[in-house]
Amino acid sequence: MGPDPSLLSLNTATVRAQWKLDAIIAGCERHGIRGIAPWRDQIAELGLRETQRRIRDAGLTVTGLCRGGFFTARGRPGLAAAIEENRRAVEEAAELSAQCLVLVVGGLPDGSRDIADARALVEEGIAAILQDARDAAVPLAIEPLHPMYAADRACINTLAQANALCERLGEGVGIAVDVYHVWWDPGLARSIAATPARRLLGFHICDWLSPTTDLLTDRGMMGDGVIDIRGIRGLMERAGYRGFHEVEIFSANNWWKRDPDEVLRTCKARHVEAC
Ligand code: ZN
């Protein structure tokens, strides 16, 4: 069965090359897309108050704020600064009534070969902001990233790993499941089934093109690649997930070069056909 079309959300990265945030918000409204996940740099450009006003006037649900994390970027000496930055991200997420703050946790510090220590830093960083997040009613969504990003973006790479971290950290932290990052995982079905519904904070969709020409900016439109998106949605729903389906496509050579209205029309059509 196809998805509920009203559950489509737009991660603003999908059309960020063509439109600024105000135009993206207007585009969502025009195309009847009900959810939006904006990026902090775009919000800074438009202004937090103005963003808040426009999103509210357009009647959009903020399905996630992108993004917090990067606790490891400057190693242990930089952890305090990273924690401060994440506190600001939590405040912004609260101002926008975001359903979660997405955490791309960070990879290896410069010059390090100690991935275990990087993972410890991540845990310390999340623990440090967790009370602020709970007080602000902003769930923290750890996004496990494909292992090809373990060095430079996120050393949390599987759902099982994210679940173990959530267990240790307790209430207020959950997981964003992005099909691009987890589709290959032989333990995926088991891991999703083992995740409590309250911990499933987001579901990000796009497709894995084969071959992939760029590890960051060659994501595919749903239906153009090899991911069984509908199958993964089924796993999410059986685990109790009822939230939005957030389309998030970084595509330097294809979708970022197209008419953004065409991109949104295609997202809507493919959501129904392929997700
Ligand atoms: Zn994602």
Side-chain angles (χ1 to χ4, degrees):
M1 214 173 78
D4 176 350
S6 72
L7 289 178
L8 183 65
S9 171
L10 181 74
N11 185 297
T12 59
T14 306
V15 285
R16 68 170 300 147
Q18 302 98 316
W19 277 341
K20 289 187 183 294
L21 185 54
D22 51 351
I24 300 175
I25 294 167
C28 284
E29 195 177 15
R30 202 162 58 245
H31 288 271
I33 295 171
R34 313 279 298 276
I36 190 167
W39 286 63
R40 292 187 66 211
D41 60 322
Q42 299 170 310
I43 294 167
E45 197 183 354
L46 182 59
L48 182 59
R49 292 283 159 251
E50 188 63 14
T51 302
Q52 190 185 38
R53 189 182 68 74
R54 284 176 189 249
I55 285 177
R56 191 189 48 224
D57 290 352
L60 302 176
T61 298
V62 177
T63 57
L65 176 65
C66 291
R67 62 198 177 184
F70 286 96
F71 294 104
T72 58
R74 282 148 296 176
R76 191 160 296 280
L79 184 60
I83 288 168
E84 267 322 297
E85 188 57 36
N86 275 276
R87 289 206 171 103
R88 282 194 286 278
V90 166
E91 286 167 17
E92 277 176 35
E95 292 288 338
L96 295 171
S97 307
Q99 292 185 327
C100 64
L101 172 65
V102 173
L103 299 183
V104 171
V105 297
L108 287 172
D110 266 356
S112 168
R113 292 187 175 87
D114 192 345
I115 197 165
D117 186 55
R119 287 169 174 154
L121 267 178
V122 165
E123 186 159 350
E124 233 178 277
I126 298 175
I129 62 165
L130 189 49
Q131 196 54 51
D132 302 78
R134 286 173 184 152
D135 293 344
V138 173
L140 302 174
I142 298 168
E143 183 164 353
L145 258 51
H146 191 286
M148 68 180 170
Y149 301 119
D152 60 349
R153 284 193 162 69
C155 56
I156 305 295
N157 307 103
T158 65
L159 207 53
Q161 203 187 351
N163 259 320
L165 189 51
C166 289
E167 286 296 336
R168 293 195 295 275
L169 289 165
E171 188 204 332
V173 59
I175 300 171
V177 175
D178 186 324
V179 298
Y180 189 76
H181 296 300
V182 302
W183 69 276
W184 58 272
D185 181 353
L188 184 63
R190 194 172 2 104
S191 289
I192 292 177
T195 309
R198 63 179 154 72
R199 199 182 283 164
L200 292 170
L201 299 176
F203 180 49
H204 301 177
I205 54 175
C206 71
D207 216 331
W208 184 283
L209 299 176
S210 180
T212 290
T213 59
D214 186 285
L215 297 185
L216 192 61
T217 60
D218 189 35
R219 293 192 184 200
M221 178 63 67
M222 297 81 75
D224 286 347
V226 299
I227 303 177
D228 177 13
I229 304 170
R230 185 160 294 182
I232 300 175
R233 175 171 67 84
L235 296 173
M236 293 287 287
E237 289 173 357
R238 282 194 287 287
Y241 182 74
R242 297 290 177 268
F244 279 82
H245 312 149
E246 182 183 312
V247 56
E248 182 185 31
I249 300 175
F250 308 91
S251 173
N253 291 319
N254 186 358
W255 298 101
W256 283 352
K257 291 192 168 160
R258 299 203 193 197
D259 168 12
D261 281 301
E262 179 204 343
V263 176
L264 296 197
R265 277 194 298 275
T266 309
C267 287
K268 287 184 69 176
R270 296 295 187 83
H271 176 232
V272 173
E273 288 163 23
C275 300

